[in-house]
Every structure is written in C-alpha cells, then in structure tokens.
Amino acid sequence: CRVFEMLDVPLYNADLRSRYLLESDASVIKRVKALLGDEAYTAEGKPHRPAIAAIVFADKSKLQELEAILHPAVQEDFRAWAASQSAPYILKEAALLYESGSYKELDKMIVVTAPEALRIQRVMERDHLSKEQVTARVRQQWPEEKKAQLADFIVVNDGNSMLLPQVLEIDKRLREMAG
C-alpha cells in the first residue's frame, strides 16, 4: 500500500479508521461499552485494546457482536471518504474485506499473499504480540487460498519476489481500466 501511495493513489486504511471510530464516534463507543463493559475503555476514555482483545478473542460471539458494530461504521466512513476522492482509482486496505462482506462494494480485489509463518512473524513484530495472539487472529480470517481464488490481482510478498514490479503492473492496469 505504501508503494501505491507513492504513486498518488488515495488509500483508505480500514484498520486505522476502525481504531479512530472506536475512539471518537459516540455511537460506537456507547455500543462497545454496552457489549464489553466499561473496562473496554481507559479512565481517559481511550479504547483499552488489550482488554478488548482478551474478551473478543476468547469469546467468538463477542467478536462477532463487536464486528457487527465496527464493520458498518467503517463502511459508512469509507463511503463518505470515497465520495470525496477524485483520483483515477482508490484503494481500501483491510484485513477482513471478505469476512466483513465489504468486498462486495469494491470493483476489484488485490490480495497480498505470503507464507503463513512469515505473516505471523510480521504481525508479531509490528504489533508486539505473541505467536498465540496472532494465530488466534489469523484463525478468524478466511484462508489465504480462498481469498486468492477471488482476487483480481495477487501480490506475492514472500520476501523473495520483487514487490515494485508487481505493484507497478497492477497500477498500470487499474489506470487503464479507469480510462
């Protein structure tokens, strides 16, 4: 996504926007507190992410209920953002595009693939989580193979394949499609 951004492609990061909405949208905050209790937020009113994660990754029904709050809020936020863009095309980055059903509102899908062990290691390093925590989250997602089957474009990010030529080719094709 950073390469696409360097090519001046507007990028909507669903994870970052979800975090923003979890922290600033009064309706979302009220519903999350009703679902998970006041311990979901710190005394300063910030989301208490470790507490939220501990609750939802231990109880699948709580995770589903939290997603039922956040996914529609993110979809609405994305629609407003997309309407304000004037580029030939835009990107929406999200780990759960298929799982949330939001892929249905997109014209094309780009799936980034990498071996599971490498994906887990990258998330552990990025988010400072244990292998068990990351694995629990990965298990909530569709298998990579299933996502790849539905993709219009695939980027192989295995540490061996060169990313830049792959992204440049996708950018070229998307710009051609956009006319």
Side-chain angles (χ1 to χ4, degrees):
C1 286
R2 286 189 295 270
V3 176
F4 281 106
E5 283 184 306
M6 291 185 335
L7 297 170
D8 291 326
V9 177
L11 174 69
Y12 180 90
N13 185 308
D15 185 49
L16 292 179
R17 292 303 295 175
S18 177
R19 290 176 186 219
Y20 171 78
L21 295 170
L22 189 62
E23 186 172 317
S24 66
D25 184 292
S27 173
V28 168
I29 293 168
K30 180 179 177 182
R31 293 176 67 200
V32 170
K33 283 184 176 181
L35 173 65
L36 303 176
D38 288 336
E39 64 269 16
Y41 287 83
T42 66
E44 296 79 28
K46 302 289 184 195
H48 190 247
R49 296 189 201 293
I52 293 171
I55 294 168
V56 302
F57 290 114
D59 182 343
K60 189 170 184 160
S61 67
K62 293 282 190 203
L63 176 61
Q64 291 170 339
E65 291 179 67
L66 179 63
E67 289 173 344
I69 296 168
L70 291 175
H71 289 169
V74 170
Q75 275 301 96
E76 183 179 322
D77 186 65
F78 171 72
R79 284 186 204 109
W81 175 85
S84 72
Q85 302 302 312
S86 61
Y89 72 94
I90 61 175
L91 292 179
K92 179 179 184 181
E93 177 187 13
L96 302 176
L97 280 171
Y98 288 113
E99 296 84 349
S100 69
S102 66
Y103 74 96
K104 295 173 187 172
E105 295 187 22
L106 304 174
D107 296 321
K108 300 291 179 194
M109 291 295 295
I110 302 169
V111 172
V112 179
T113 66
E116 184 173 291
L118 181 57
R119 291 191 328 251
I120 290 171
Q121 184 63 39
R122 288 173 174 164
V123 175
M124 288 170 56
E125 292 171 7
R126 182 192 69 206
D127 296 346
H128 308 291
L129 298 172
S130 71
K131 183 175 182 177
E132 293 73 27
Q133 290 171 309
V134 177
T135 302
R137 294 175 187 192
V138 168
R139 298 291 171 248
Q140 300 298 323
Q141 299 177 8
W142 282 16
E144 187 175 87
E145 299 77 29
K146 185 176 180 180
K147 293 178 188 180
Q149 288 174 350
L150 298 172
D152 297 289
F153 304 98
I154 295 176
V155 174
V156 178
N157 188 7
D158 59 5
N160 297 315
S161 303
M162 292 177 45
L163 292 175
L164 189 56
Q166 295 177 77
V167 172
L168 291 174
E169 179 60 26
I170 293 169
D171 176 70
K172 177 184 169 195
R173 291 183 55 200
L174 289 174
R175 288 179 191 276
E176 288 170 356
M177 288 177 202

